[in-house]
Amino acid sequence: MSRQPIITGTTRLLGVIGDPVGHSLSPLMHNAALAALGANYVYVPFAIAADHLEAALTGFEAIGVAGFNITIPHKQRIMGLLQVVTPTAQAIGAVNTVWRTEQGWQGTNTDVIGFLAPLKAQSRDWSAAQAVVLGNGGAARAVVAGCDQLGCQRIWVAGRDAEKLAQFQASWQGMPVAEKLSVLPWGELPEVLPTTDLLVNTTPVGMHPNSTETPISGDWIGRMPASAIAYDLIYTPRPTRFLQLAADHGLIALDGLEMLVQQGAAALEIWLQTAVPVEIMRQALEDHLR
Ligand code: NAP
């Protein structure tokens, strides 16, 4: 049973900014948690065009917004408007969570925490592991940072555009992860898949409504070791075609819902400075997606 937030004269604001923002499931998940905690906050969506971003931040300060999430297309540009950016967010090059401090706005990126949560639950030794990341966009950056934190020995990032791949590789130059990171043209994936322990789809291929699509074929997935994990960041549909094919080949299949839940829980913990009801956040999303 979902409880409605009670808005009083002292209720504080949290939210998510993006353009568009109507698709975001964050309001659902956060308001469920806030209601369960009896916390005097509401979490609302703010559709903000790119050329209004700076004005929005000034306005947020003026009206006392306590914190907010950031989604496409503002995750990179917002960094230049914040007073403090955590090293994690700097390494990824994107901020998804902002809060107000005495120094001004501070930003971090909780996607790595979210990405890692279901992998840590697998309790594996990752020290000799090879990870392959499909796609070289924004989410791939959090995934690379996550695979590095996990302790993977080798990380391959596969993309379809040679120039973007080269830029992706260059963007990590000077960071410790650069030593274990290589990029790979899409067509060469079959060469690395037989020694891959973790395959992560960060492309939108297979996302609703294109549910019959898969970023790679069952034939390629079939080249992977049976003990490997296939991880799709997509959470609609559940499972994706990619994960169905992986499960058919006996691989462990993880979808993106837990990442969404855990990045949100990590953000809410920052804002409220208290433990948050992760189970209620997960349930709110599962009920909605069902
Ligand atoms: P993005 O920045 O647009 O990156 C998408 C990447 O996918 C790009 O590298 C793009 O390649 C590649 N790509 C697209 N179509 C492809 C195709 N047909 N074949 C090969 N590569 C293709 O998007 P993003 O922000 O990283 O998000 C990617 C996906 O992750 C989305 O489905 C998003 O919903 C999901 N996601 C989930 C969570 C979660 O919490 N579960 C969090 C973040 C993102 P080009 O650059 O060559 O076009």
Side-chain angles (χ1 to χ4, degrees):
M1 192 183 69
S2 69
R3 278 174 271 180
Q4 297 298 318
I6 297 165
I7 299 176
T8 69
T10 56
T11 301
R12 300 198 61 199
L13 267 180
L14 296 168
V16 53
I17 65 170
D19 186 24
V21 78
H23 64 283
S24 175
L25 299 181
S26 293
L28 200 79
M29 145 170 94
H30 284 290
N31 286 314
L34 291 167
L37 284 168
N40 196 6
Y41 291 83
V42 283
Y43 184 107
V44 293
F46 296 104
I48 293 170
D51 54 357
H52 288 157
L53 188 59
E54 197 167 351
L57 238 70
T58 307
F60 280 3
E61 181 184 349
I63 63 173
V65 168
F68 54 96
N69 286 129
I70 302 94
T71 186
I72 290 171
H74 305 313
K75 281 182 163 193
Q76 284 86 30
R77 241 203 79 209
I78 191 128
M79 293 176 75
L81 302 173
L82 306 176
Q83 282 66 51
V84 186
V85 176
T86 62
T88 306
Q90 275 170 9
I92 298 169
V95 159
N96 80 333
T97 302
V98 167
W99 65 102
R100 194 76 201 158
T101 70
E102 281 177 9
Q103 290 92 32
W105 295 114
Q106 179 161 347
T108 192
N109 194 309
T110 64
D111 281 338
V112 178
I113 297 174
F115 168 69
L116 286 177
L119 292 174
K120 286 184 172 165
Q122 297 288 322
S123 20
R124 286 196 178 199
D125 176 10
W126 295 95
S127 59
Q130 172 172 288
V132 172
V133 183
L134 304 175
N136 47 249
R141 303 193 64 80
V143 169
V144 165
C147 291
D148 183 36
Q149 277 188 29
L150 208 53
C152 291
Q153 191 177 45
R154 189 125 191 72
I155 306 167
W156 294 94
V157 173
R160 58 183 177 173
D161 182 318
E163 203 173 311
K164 285 186 186 169
L165 270 180
Q167 281 169 7
F168 188 90
Q169 174 122 52
S171 71
W172 298 91
Q173 216 172 3
M175 294 186 217
V177 66
E179 283 175 28
K180 54 170 96 165
L181 177 69
S182 310
V183 293
L184 187 73
W186 201 266
E188 290 175 22
L189 273 166
E191 289 167 34
V192 298
L193 291 175
T195 50
T196 294
D197 305 283
L198 173 64
L199 176 64
V200 188
N201 176 36
T202 76
T203 79
V205 181
M207 186 159 63
H208 175 81
N210 304 312
S211 313
T212 56
E213 295 177 5
T214 172
I216 65 170
S217 67
D219 179 34
W220 284 14
I221 293 171
R223 294 170 191 238
M224 296 177 65
S227 58
I229 296 174
Y231 190 161
D232 200 335
L233 299 200
I234 296 170
Y235 44 82
T236 51
R238 304 183 77 200
T240 56
R241 180 87 187 114
F242 168 67
L243 290 186
Q244 263 169 7
L245 291 169
D248 289 348
H249 284 98
L251 274 59
I252 294 171
L254 303 173
D255 69 27
L257 191 72
E258 194 60 15
M259 174 171 174
L260 181 67
V261 170
Q262 298 285 349
Q263 62 78 30
L268 194 57
E269 269 183 26
I270 290 172
W271 297 322
L272 302 186
Q273 289 294 298
T274 186
V276 302
V278 179
E279 189 58 47
I280 283 175
M281 299 174 87
R282 186 183 299 116
Q283 196 62 52
L285 292 183
E286 281 177 350
D287 289 349
H288 175 80
L289 293 172
R290 204 178 291 125

